[in-house]
Amino acid sequence: MPRKLRIAYFAHTLRSDWNNGNAHFLRGLVRALRADGHEVTAYEPESEWSIQNLRAEDHGQASLDRFMETYADLDIQTYGPEETEELWRERLRGTQFVLLHEWNPPLLAQLLLKLRDELGFKLLFHDTHHRASSSPESFAVLGLERFDGVLAFGAALQTIYRERFGVRNVWVLHEAADTTVFRPMADVARGAEIVWIGNWGEGERTEEIRGYLLEPAAKLAPAFRTKIYGVRYPEEGHEALRAHGVEYGGYLPNLDAPRVYASARLTVHIPRQQYTKAMTGIPTIRVFEALACGIPLVSAPWQDTEGLFRSEDFYMANAPADMEQAMRRLLESPALAAEQARRGRETVLARHTCEHRAAELAGIFEELGA
């Protein structure tokens, strides 16, 4: 890069991770860009549904406070509905790149497009979700064809933007682990042997949770205990957990995930149906984070079409019976589990950290004339 850049990032929120997995990667990406010397300001609404739901949790404010302490190096500026166009014009004057995350309202996209034309910055749309595939009609009013480009978190999503929305400049920018936070921890008291951190998913993976986690967990009990963390579990979900002897831990601040992984002996990955069908090749952020923490991982089926991982980095179970057998094998062989964990972490550190993604993004900026 010929010089350091002034960058604005518009997110739904970085402060709250309540049902907001997007915050995990974006926190680390902004931190890595700033560590490279770029001036990055994150803008987010003062109050929105993720913040509101987090504050309703028993330890919600403590989670927010801990985030502000852990990520004190980030420049996060909040805004309210009273912000004027003129105020945004002054805030963004002199900015070279503006990134708009997909979980933002169309009015904000239209405002940024207008200011881009006036101020001359490059405007990129950043997508780390499946709505472009599952509800493309909601994107019709964003004016995607007028953006300078799209950052898509997988090749399948890149194809959707090119073929369905006619966007020419689309780059793949996968999610990654913030290894300043997600790393192995020592001297952590043992908890349940199997842990999973994830939400019920509004029907997007209900049967997969039953077949690839709850039923194997019931067969492994009582010798090996299972505990699940997450939010938005309906009564149907709670009943399923109870019926299979699985403990429910409720909301878990993402900053506590390394400690939970360290207390367990393995974790699992259960992709939503969108990521096994229309958007193959895209793992959840939890895969990167778990492997960065050095915990063995067993995954329900998905196709690693982009070769993000080696076959020995984690175990891919092609059927529920395979999942139970893989879990049992890792639980009964500490040496095998340790070797798999070592390989998974090795791959993350070599290819999938937020520092890697910041470098890739810098290359995209250079293509755009930084």
Side-chain angles (χ1 to χ4, degrees), residues 29-94:
L29 179 64
V30 171
R31 167 172 276 177
L33 288 168
R34 289 176 63 85
D36 283 343
H38 301 295
E39 181 186 341
V40 187
T41 301
Y43 294 103
E44 63 180 70
E46 292 174 355
S47 182
E48 32 58 49
W49 62 265
S50 183
I51 288 281
Q52 293 165 359
N53 281 284
L54 178 59
R55 286 178 169 147
E57 295 280 349
D58 291 340
H59 306 292
Q61 188 57 50
S63 177
L64 284 170
D65 293 342
R66 187 176 173 198
F67 162 75
M68 297 304 294
E69 178 182 353
T70 304
Y71 286 94
D73 53 313
L74 302 191
D75 179 13
I76 299 177
Q77 297 188 22
T78 62
Y79 60 89
E82 72 284 353
E83 306 286 346
T84 64
E85 180 180 315
E86 182 57 35
L87 182 57
W88 283 118
R89 183 176 289 107
E90 290 307 309
R91 280 180 169 177
L92 297 177
R93 194 178 304 279

Side-chain angles (χ1 to χ4, degrees), residues 200-236:
W200 189 254
E202 298 177 328
E204 295 176 323
R205 55 182 170 191
T206 302
E207 292 308 310
E208 290 80 359
I209 292 173
R210 291 179 184 273
Y212 286 93
L213 179 56
L214 300 187
E215 292 173 6
K219 293 176 181 177
L220 290 166
F224 303 109
R225 297 164 297 154
T226 300
K227 188 169 185 177
I228 288 178
Y229 297 87
V231 298
R232 300 181 73 184
Y233 275 67
E235 184 54 35
E236 169 199 1

Side-chain angles (χ1 to χ4, degrees), residues 113-131:
L113 282 165
K114 178 180 180 181
L115 294 177
R116 186 274 311 272
D117 293 342
E118 293 181 23
L119 302 178
F121 55 75
K122 301 292 186 182
L123 180 60
L124 296 172
F125 190 73
H126 189 190
D127 195 346
T128 60
H129 201 261
H130 61 65
R131 288 197 305 159

